[in-house]
Amino acid sequence: MIVGMMFTNYRAVFAEGTTLYTPYTKISVSPGQSIDYSIDAINDSKDLQNGEISVTGIPRSWSYSFKSGGMSIGQLAVLPGEKKTLNLKVEVPYQVNKGNYRFTVMAGSLGSLPLVINVSEKGSNESELTSDQPNMQGNSKSSFSFKANLKNRTPEKQLYALMADHPRGWDISFKANYKQVTSVELEANTTKDVDIEIKPPGEVAAGTYKIPVRAVTGSTSAKLELEVVVTGSFSMELTTPTGLLSTHVTAGDEKKLELVVRNTGSSELTGIDLKATSPANWSVEFDPKKIDKLLPGQDATAFATIKADKKAIPGDYVTNIEAKTPETSSKIAFRVSVRTSMLWGWVGVLVIVAALGMVYYLFRKYGRR
């Protein structure tokens, strides 16, 4: 994280001609961060200055250390007309309240140096899983994509297992850095973006669903509750009571068919129109022509009367029947076999009988000559 600094040159004078100096006397940090101060001990006097180094006023839960020349030090001596540089390292704990913390660096006769550390936010020793948009709405065929942010606010690196408690049939996946994952690793006091994709089953009922998502390690965990509002799906099936999609008819006659319209979605269907596309010179009439309302899981019965062309020759003909709303539709292809009229059958029989009678007559009249 970026450390905010107040650029104020500060000289702390203790004895005549001695100074403790650092350019940054007020610094803004986040919980868990460390600050390295470079402090000059300047001796402009004519005498050797020597003093023990300590810090007063710092909170007990904070830690600090002094070093110079790569060694830990507790006392510093500076010759007349010279300066020595020492390094103060202050460790801000993770569990700390927001605010300004004032303390003083003491160096015996060399002087004292007041410093301020501003902690920009309240800290903790926990993990956080958050989302700017934890709820979404769509139908059952929608895919719900949430963006979450996982933050490790502990002082150690953590490996988080990602999991979700979802209803049976739902599909939930996690992605980090554009790759599908089941766990993510975070260094201390770092964050990572995690994409969560939720897909409900196609037959899910309309309603509001709570999906708890967790990031878990052996020592810490974070939880986020996502909300999915399913508005329902639109789907229907057009069929017959037996499922049979064929019949027969005599040319010029009509056939009454029973149809079944079934709402297979999870939302109510309204204004279902019945339409047909038939061969030339054929006609199809429905009773009723429109189904006003059909609740999820319910069936409605309608009748289609198909009238064949009186000049239709024997063979198979296809009539397409469709049930349609603005949201969805269903279509079936009905095969109709045309048979020859019985009248023409009897006419054929009479022609044959007449022919046989004529042969018999001619045989009786001219057979013996």
Side-chain angles (χ1 to χ4, degrees):
M1 293 187 179
I2 299 175
V3 178
M5 301 181 179
M6 185 173 76
F7 294 84
T8 302
N9 293 343
Y10 188 87
R11 286 176 174 265
V13 180
F14 187 77
E16 182 179 354
T18 61
T19 306
L20 289 181
Y21 168 81
T22 186
Y24 314 121
T25 58
K26 185 175 182 180
I27 298 177
S28 294
V29 298
S30 299
Q33 197 166 348
S34 61
I35 307 103
D36 290 306
Y37 292 95
S38 179
I39 301 173
D40 292 331
I42 304 169
N43 183 7
D44 290 328
S45 71
K46 297 179 181 180
D47 300 317
L48 172 70
Q49 300 295 333
N50 188 18
E52 291 188 1
I53 305 169
S54 63
V55 175
T56 61
I58 198 166
R60 290 185 178 181
S61 59
W62 297 32
S63 61
Y64 66 91
S65 62
F66 287 104
K67 284 190 176 182
S68 183
M71 298 179 293
S72 297
I73 59 173
Q75 190 167 330
L76 185 67
V78 185
L79 291 171
E82 293 188 1
K83 74 173 181 179
K84 291 290 183 182
T85 300
L86 60 95
N87 297 105
L88 167 63
K89 185 173 185 178
V90 179
E91 301 279 354
V92 180
Y94 284 89
Q95 289 181 300
V96 63
N97 289 324
K98 177 180 179 181
N100 291 322
Y101 293 82
R102 303 177 185 275
F103 58 97
T104 303
V105 178
M106 305 294 295
S109 61
L110 289 167
S112 62
L113 178 62
L115 300 172
V116 180
I117 293 179
N118 173 256
V119 179
S120 58
E121 60 180 324
K122 183 177 181 180
S124 69
N125 194 29
E126 301 174 350
S127 300
E128 293 180 358
L129 185 61
T130 58
S131 175
D132 292 335
Q133 183 61 53
N135 65 310
M136 289 188 180
Q137 178 176 302
N139 60 47
S140 62
K141 296 181 181 179
S142 300
S143 179
F144 301 89
S145 297
F146 295 88
K147 290 189 176 296
N149 181 264
L150 177 61
K151 185 171 185 179
N152 177 12
R153 304 191 70 174
T154 73
E156 299 175 350
K157 180 169 66 175
Q158 301 286 350
L159 178 63
Y160 294 90
L162 304 174
M163 56 190 69
D165 299 325
H166 54 83
R168 184 177 178 181
W170 290 59
D171 182 35
I172 298 183
S173 60
F174 300 91
K175 288 184 179 180
N177 299 325
Y178 307 103
K179 296 180 180 179
Q180 190 162 324
V181 296
T182 58
S183 63
V184 292
E185 187 175 68
L186 274 76
E187 297 289 341
N189 203 34
T190 60
T191 64
K192 184 179 285 292
D193 291 329
V194 179
D195 294 325
I196 306 170
E197 187 170 349
I198 300 177
K199 294 181 180 179
E203 302 302 321
V204 65
T208 300
Y209 296 85
K210 305 287 187 180
I211 311 292
V213 178
R214 293 179 293 149
V216 181
T217 74
S219 59
T220 182
S221 65
K223 184 177 180 180
L224 170 64
E225 186 174 74
L226 301 176
E227 182 180 86
V228 172
V229 180
V230 179
T231 57
S233 61
F234 297 96
S235 178
M236 66 177 160
E237 180 186 11
L238 176 62
T239 184
T240 63
T242 62
L244 185 65
L245 300 179
S246 63
T247 188
H248 56 83
V249 68
T250 302
D253 286 348
E254 60 184 35
K255 192 78 170 185
K256 190 174 185 179
L257 307 174
E258 184 177 355
L259 304 174
V260 176
V261 182
R262 180 173 296 121
N263 186 347
T264 56
S266 58
S267 296
E268 179 182 86
L269 296 175
T270 58
I272 304 172
D273 290 317
L274 297 173
K275 299 180 179 180
T277 304
S278 59
N281 300 320
W282 290 48
S283 65
V284 181
E285 294 184 357
F286 295 99
D287 181 25
K289 294 182 179 180
K290 176 180 287 190
I291 301 170
D292 294 330
K293 182 173 66 174
L294 191 58
L295 296 175
Q298 288 189 349
D299 295 347
T301 301
F303 293 92
T305 301
I306 301 177
K307 186 175 182 179
D309 181 12
K310 62 181 179 180
K311 295 182 180 181
I313 62 175
D316 290 341
Y317 296 80
V318 175
T319 296
N320 293 311
I321 302 176
E322 183 180 24
K324 186 176 183 180
T325 70
E327 297 83 12
T328 186
S329 64
S330 180
K331 182 185 292 186
I332 57 175
F334 221 94
R335 184 172 60 86
V336 182
S337 297
V338 174
R339 296 179 178 178
T340 305
S341 172
M342 292 297 293
L343 174 62
W344 290 106
W346 285 112
V347 169
V349 171
L350 291 176
V351 170
I352 294 173
V353 171
L356 291 174
M358 181 61 68
V359 172
Y360 178 75
Y361 170 76
L362 293 174
F363 180 79
R364 291 279 297 177
K365 185 174 181 178
Y366 303 107
R368 296 182 179 180
R369 293 183 182 182

